Amino acid sequence: MKKFKLLLLLLASVLVTNAQTKTATKKVEKKEVEIACGECMFQMAGKGCDLAVKIDGISYFVDGRKIDDFGDAHADDGFCNAVRKAVVTGEIVEKRFKAKSIQLIEQKKTEKPKSR
């Protein structure tokens, strides 16, 4: 009986340890999201300007791509000054988005009002 209790206790501790080490992941496939600077536009805590996406209303820093991969972040239409749309594929791991692909959606050019 003691061996059975010991075996049961050992099995329970292995299951608890295994459950704690598994990382929750969520796959994202070709989803349209908002993309911008996490600190400047999404008010995320960080040290500088870092690329972030907003998926289902939750902001995540991006791993696998840098903010300046898409041009000057501090330009008028850069990620520190504008929120853009993109189609992304990857997965959310430990509250970060691991990007496999990021495809920006082209913005429609609006005509400037003609000066009189």
Side-chain angles (χ1 to χ4, degrees), residues 31-79:
K31 184 166 181 78
E32 186 174 320
V33 300
E34 292 182 328
I35 186 168
C37 175
E39 290 87 354
C40 296
M41 301 305 292
F42 295 151
Q43 290 74 46
M44 298 172 72
K47 299 178 183 178
C49 296
D50 298 301
L51 189 62
V53 292
K54 191 175 277 191
I55 301 171
D56 298 328
I58 301 170
S59 300
Y60 302 95
F61 283 116
V62 174
D63 292 330
R65 296 296 299 265
K66 301 290 183 199
I67 196 163
D68 286 323
D69 289 349
F70 301 93
D72 181 8
H74 294 102
D76 289 341
D77 63 345
F79 289 137

Side-chain angles (χ1 to χ4, degrees), residues 13-32:
S13 67
V14 167
L15 290 174
V16 168
T17 302
N18 189 32
Q20 290 176 350
T21 58
K22 285 187 178 178
T23 305
T25 64
K26 178 182 175 184
K27 292 190 184 248
V28 178
E29 290 288 330
K30 296 182 180 179
K31 184 166 181 78
E32 186 174 320

Side-chain angles (χ1 to χ4, degrees), residues 54-113:
K54 191 175 277 191
I55 301 171
D56 298 328
I58 301 170
S59 300
Y60 302 95
F61 283 116
V62 174
D63 292 330
R65 296 296 299 265
K66 301 290 183 199
I67 196 163
D68 286 323
D69 289 349
F70 301 93
D72 181 8
H74 294 102
D76 289 341
D77 63 345
F79 289 137
C80 291
N81 295 311
V83 176
R84 304 269 309 267
K85 297 280 186 189
V87 175
V88 299
T89 297
E91 60 185 353
I92 299 167
V93 179
E94 295 178 1
K95 299 181 182 179
R96 296 187 68 90
F97 179 69
K98 311 288 184 185
K100 289 185 181 173
S101 72
I102 297 175
Q103 195 75 356
L104 288 181
I105 296 172
E106 290 298 318
Q107 293 177 306
K108 292 180 181 175
K109 304 258 182 190
T110 57
E111 285 189 38
K112 292 182 181 179

